[in-house]
Amino acid sequence: MKIFDFERYGQEPQPVPSGEVVLITDGDEAFDTRNLDQYVEDRNVIIMGIPGAFTPTCTEKHLPGFVAHEQHLYDKGIDEIICLSVNDPHVMLAFAEYINHDGSKIKMAADPFGEVAEQMGLLTDMGILGHRSKRFAAIVQQGKIVDLFVDEQGLDVSSAENCLKHL
């Protein structure tokens, strides 16, 4: 079920998808299942979507950019950076430990059934990898998506550097 109208991005803010995600937590319970829109509420966040945890471009280029610019993004008014992937929660838990090992605080969110990616029209069939999210970055202000950057191949517009330019 696609709920987004891509033609409207940049013209008027769009709602954060309501799909269920599993958030990786630091507490006694490793997983917190919530609807993404309810978790984001009216905060300013960046939701970055990746095709898969531990895949080459995601692990070596996309996420490291957000780690390197994390404080700059917070300084520009971002409350949290959320990394979303159509992976199972256990994979995202391991990915959180790998990416945040030096003290970064990027929140990992598993979209195990691809609900959020589907609602955004970004769920794609990647052959042997199955259905995954396209690579994207969404700037959310006051709980509404105000900018959406989707990479059709590789890493280009969904980078941390591009997000910084638009804040």
Side-chain angles (χ1 to χ4, degrees), residues 41-112:
E41 293 182 323
D42 63 352
R43 297 181 302 139
N44 298 329
V45 302
I46 290 179
I47 302 170
M48 53 172 304
I50 59 173
F54 298 108
T55 56
T57 302
C58 303
T59 306
E60 297 166 12
K61 296 178 183 174
H62 201 196
L63 262 293
F66 281 90
V67 170
H69 294 290
E70 185 175 11
Q71 190 57 52
H72 296 109
L73 292 162
Y74 296 147
D75 291 345
K76 292 275 194 171
I78 294 298
D79 299 313
E80 187 171 43
I81 301 166
I82 302 167
C83 175
L84 180 81
S85 184
V86 181
N87 278 122
D88 74 70
H90 297 282
V91 170
M92 294 306 286
L93 175 61
F95 199 49
E97 292 170 358
Y98 179 79
I99 292 297
N100 293 325
H101 75 278
D102 279 338
S104 292
K105 295 180 174 127
I106 295 174
K107 175 68 81 178
M108 298 295 167
D111 183 11

Side-chain angles (χ1 to χ4, degrees), residues 126-138:
M126 298 187 91
I128 195 166
L129 295 177
H131 286 91
R132 298 294 179 111
S133 173
K134 290 183 179 182
R135 185 178 322 283
F136 74 90

Side-chain angles (χ1 to χ4, degrees), residues 2-6 9 14-18 119-121 145 148:
K2 183 177 174 182
I3 63 171
F4 282 43
D5 180 359
F6 281 98
Y9 278 106
Q14 297 292 305
V16 170
S18 62
Q119 287 176 6
M120 294 180 76
I145 298 174
L148 178 66

